[in-house]
Amino acid sequence: MKISSFYPSIVTSNATETIALFEELGFERAHTKTGIEGDATNCVLKYGEDFRVDVAQYDEQERDMTNIRVNVSDFDEAYDFLVSKGFKNAMGDKIVETPSSKAALMVSPSGFTIGLTKHIR
């Protein structure tokens, strides 16, 4: 399994405030993706070449959640690997697919989460 990037991701119902905080810290918007599963939006911010953070806007999110975003070259291989280690898909068996990505929020047996993503190029 090849990991292409690995960084924190914040899921919030107030992305505007969270993005503004990171911009004040010196982060810049790398790209924004809209229309994910309805009206969800994801913004990737970067600081130089080495640091990134995702901020995902989900209006239904009651409380902010932080997870680890892991971008991989082979989604199915990574998904099966995590399942073999006891991870469960937070949305049952649902995989979020858009024209440019495939993703699932995976929850470990102890409760930490990995946002597993494959970019389709």
Side-chain angles (χ1 to χ4, degrees):
M1 169 175 51
K2 181 180 179 215
I3 295 174
S4 56
S5 61
F6 182 98
Y7 49 90
S9 179
I10 301 167
V11 181
T12 181
S13 62
N14 192 356
T16 302
E17 183 178 296
T18 304
I19 291 168
L21 170 71
F22 280 95
E23 288 176 330
E24 287 181 49
L25 289 168
F27 282 78
E28 298 175 350
R29 293 175 195 230
H31 69 271
T32 301
K33 185 174 181 177
T34 59
I36 308 164
E37 287 294 294
D39 60 355
T41 300
N42 187 70
C43 181
V44 177
L45 298 126
K46 67 178 184 170
Y47 185 93
E49 293 300 315
D50 296 328
F51 302 106
R52 291 182 183 261
V53 64
D54 260 358
V55 178
Q57 170 77 36
Y58 288 96
D59 294 335
E60 300 83 28
Q61 191 72 24
E62 292 179 24
R63 190 174 172 165
D64 289 359
M65 175 180 69
T66 303
N67 67 72
I68 302 164
R69 177 165 168 168
V70 180
N71 292 331
V72 296
S73 60
D74 186 327
F75 181 87
D76 295 330
E77 176 188 20
Y79 186 93
D80 291 344
F81 173 79
L82 292 174
V83 168
S84 78
K85 300 298 181 188
F87 281 74
K88 301 212 183 294
N89 184 333
M91 296 171 48
D93 290 330
K94 184 171 181 166
I95 305 297
V96 177
E97 294 190 60
T98 71
S100 63
S101 66
K102 189 173 183 179
L105 182 63
M106 305 298 290
V107 183
S108 77
S110 65
F112 74 88
T113 56
I114 291 178
L116 184 63
T117 304
K118 175 188 177 16
H119 288 287
I120 301 165
R121 299 172 196 234

